[in-house]
């Protein structure tokens, strides 16, 4: 299954990659948080679905996050510069199931809504970050 959010904020790929770090994870979502070891590309996290290793990878157009041990292979990307709206921030989340329980789908929708709100706050300059967003 796949889910999308389109955030009408123009930003640069470099800003996405420089700002949305493991260090700033708790500013990107109220649903997940670091609970253990962390470095630039992964962290032990907790959240609404339990405890997982979260990985962060640079990709063309932005970032990919994945919950390594998740039985649904939950992963999401945050990108810009592509269709359907090249001037927006796009969150694309996938799981490896064609069907899932209604409660889990509702949790995914709530996670995406929360992350969308957090990213809107970050990229509109309403949150103090540990990494500064470049202007230009």
């Amino acid at each position: 299954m796949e889910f999308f959010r389109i955030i009408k904020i123009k930003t640069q790929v470099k800003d996405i990659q420089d700002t949305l770090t493991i260090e700033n994870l708790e500013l990107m979502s109220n649903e997940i948080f670091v609970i253990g070891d962390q470095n630039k590309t992964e962290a032990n996290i907790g959240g609404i679905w339990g405890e997982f290793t979260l990985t962060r990878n640079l990709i063309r157009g932005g970032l990919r996050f994945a919950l390594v041990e998740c039985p649904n292979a939950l992963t999401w990307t945050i990108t810009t510069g592509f269709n359907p709206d090249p001037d927006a921030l796009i969150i694309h989340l996938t799981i490896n199931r064609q069907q899932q329980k209604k409660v889990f789908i509702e949790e995914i929708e709530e996670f995406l809504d929360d992350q969308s709100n957090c990213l809107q706050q970050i990229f509109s300059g309403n949150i103090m970050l540990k990494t500064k967003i470049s202007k230009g």
Side-chain angles (χ1 to χ4, degrees):
M1 297 180 78
E2 59 183 344
F3 306 83
F4 289 90
R5 291 296 182 278
I6 298 174
I7 306 166
K8 296 289 189 178
I9 288 185
K10 186 163 177 66
T11 190
Q12 303 298 314
V13 173
K14 182 173 180 6
D15 290 334
I16 294 169
Q17 293 175 340
D18 290 350
T19 303
L20 304 182
T21 63
I22 298 288
E23 185 178 37
N24 285 329
L25 182 65
E26 292 179 31
L27 297 176
M28 291 187 290
S29 174
N30 296 302
E31 306 276 337
I32 53 176
F33 48 91
V34 175
I35 59 170
D37 295 336
Q38 71 182 62
N39 59 45
K40 291 186 183 294
T41 59
E42 68 180 47
N44 294 325
I45 61 131
I48 58 175
W49 301 302
E51 296 179 10
F52 298 97
T53 303
L54 174 75
T55 60
R56 175 189 178 272
N57 300 99
L58 301 179
I59 61 171
R60 184 172 172 227
L63 294 169
R64 176 180 295 116
F65 293 93
L67 302 179
V68 175
E69 301 87 359
C70 179
N72 295 290
L74 192 143
T75 188
W76 71 97
T77 60
I78 302 170
T79 59
T80 193
F82 299 110
N83 290 326
D85 193 342
D87 292 327
L89 201 60
I90 308 292
I91 304 172
H92 176 223
L93 184 146
T94 62
I95 60 172
N96 63 354
R97 305 278 189 263
Q98 290 182 322
Q99 296 180 355
Q100 191 49 267
K101 293 178 183 172
K102 181 179 178 183
V103 68
F104 185 56
I105 292 171
E106 289 171 355
E107 290 170 350
I108 288 173
E109 296 287 355
E110 289 171 10
F111 173 76
L112 289 171
D113 289 343
D114 173 69
Q115 189 161 77
S116 295
N117 290 332
C118 290
L119 294 178
Q120 193 149 14
Q121 293 293 310
I122 289 170
F123 289 106
S124 62
N126 295 336
I127 292 183
M128 290 296 291
L129 298 168
K130 296 175 185 171
T131 307
K132 292 267 190 206
I133 296 176
S134 62
K135 300 292 180 191

